[in-house]
Amino acid sequence: KNNVPEYYPAWVFVILLLVLLVIGWIFNASRVRVQQVFKASMGQRNLNLLFREGNILKEKIIIPIVSSFIILLSLVIYAFMEIYDYSIYTESGIINYLLVVFGVTGLVVLRHMVVYFLGNLFKFKTGILYYLANNVCYYFLETMFLLPMTFFLFYTDTDYLKIVTYVLLISLSILVFLRLFRGLSLILLESRFSQLYLFYYLCIVEVIPFFVLIKLVLF
């Protein structure tokens, strides 16, 4: 049975406001690079241009982008935990949220570590850099989508909550699918590895964690 809270604690709004400020800083501090990040998610040529001015993965906007994505995704998971009356360790909302943040952060970091390991193992460093850059581009797109949707998820009227939930899950799933599709396309176009390796790479590093996350949120 769903358990939609009548109100959410003030720290939820504070977190959303801080993420909004961070995104505003990203646009003001690196407007050109942000435009390139958006375009890079649309095609290989634009992704190549993203590296022409330097390694985007080493620039100052990466940490704010990835951090904002993790914070908002964790808020979405926390919202579903509240709706379905589920707690990880304690009844304290902020503690449960922080545990979710640690879990999502660990998953993202572990996945990137595995990607780097595979790139070194198969001597495919350039392709892996492009793959990770593609991930960052979509993290930013997903962050821009999650910010308003997370606000609606927490503060919309309960009569419309189901609609917001469906729109959020379907749209986010489409973005994740596009990210996976683009990543796999990069691997297929640039690598000479077997289809077995590609299948293993996609399932272990991307697909399985995604379905595990979906299971945790919905079930």
Side-chain angles (χ1 to χ4, degrees):
K1 183 179 179 179
N2 293 358
N3 179 34
V4 181
E6 295 181 359
Y7 65 92
Y8 285 97
W11 59 262
V12 172
F13 181 79
V14 172
I15 290 175
L16 289 172
L17 180 60
L18 289 176
V19 173
L20 179 61
L21 292 175
V22 169
I23 292 176
W25 174 83
I26 293 173
F27 274 97
N28 289 328
S30 307
R31 185 179 301 274
V32 174
R33 292 301 264 170
V34 167
Q35 293 176 352
Q36 292 174 345
V37 166
F38 273 116
K39 293 179 181 179
S41 63
M42 306 302 174
Q44 178 66 41
R45 182 178 179 181
N46 291 324
L47 189 61
N48 293 334
L49 293 175
L50 194 63
F51 279 89
R52 180 169 296 180
E53 298 181 12
N55 186 350
I56 185 66
L57 298 175
K58 294 183 179 180
E59 296 186 11
K60 62 181 180 180
I61 64 173
I62 294 302
I63 292 180
I65 288 176
V66 177
S67 298
S68 298
F69 169 74
I70 291 174
I71 289 171
L72 290 178
L73 181 59
S74 299
L75 269 181
V76 170
I77 296 174
Y78 168 76
F80 281 104
M81 289 170 56
E82 290 292 301
I83 292 171
Y84 292 100
D85 195 21
Y86 175 80
S87 60
I88 299 175
Y89 178 72
T90 176
E91 294 299 324
S92 173
I94 185 65
I95 298 299
N96 282 321
Y97 171 69
L98 291 176
L99 290 174
V100 173
V101 171
F102 290 143
V104 174
T105 301
L107 182 63
V108 171
V109 172
L110 178 62
R111 184 169 62 83
H112 279 234
M113 290 175 61
V114 172
V115 169
Y116 272 116
F117 171 77
L118 292 174
N120 291 325
L121 180 64
F122 290 92
K123 298 180 180 180
F124 192 45
K125 294 182 179 180
T126 301
I128 292 301
L129 288 178
Y130 275 76
Y131 184 88
L132 293 176
N134 176 72
N135 281 349
V136 169
C137 293
Y138 276 89
Y139 284 163
F140 195 58
L141 290 178
E142 291 165 25
T143 298
M144 298 303 296
F145 167 75
L146 283 175
L147 182 58
M149 292 305 299
T150 304
F151 181 86
F152 289 131
L153 184 63
F154 278 99
Y155 298 109
T156 193
D157 188 271
T158 55
D159 295 334
Y160 302 101
L161 184 60
K162 183 175 293 186
I163 297 175
V164 173
T165 299
Y166 287 149
V167 171
L168 191 155
L169 290 178
I170 292 173
S171 301
L172 186 59
S173 297
I174 292 173
L175 287 173
V176 172
F177 173 79
L178 290 174
R179 173 161 56 86
L180 295 177
F181 179 79
R182 280 290 313 280
L184 179 59
S185 298
L186 290 172
I187 299 297
L188 288 173
L189 291 174
E190 301 294 335
S191 71
R192 298 180 180 179
F193 305 138
S194 66
Q195 294 294 326
L196 180 62
Y197 163 71
L198 294 174
F199 178 79
Y200 169 81
Y201 172 81
L202 184 62
C203 289
I204 298 299
V205 181
E206 296 285 7
V207 176
I208 290 180
F210 174 69
F211 282 113
V212 169
L213 187 59
I214 290 294
K215 183 176 180 180
L216 290 175
V217 171
L218 297 180
F219 306 103

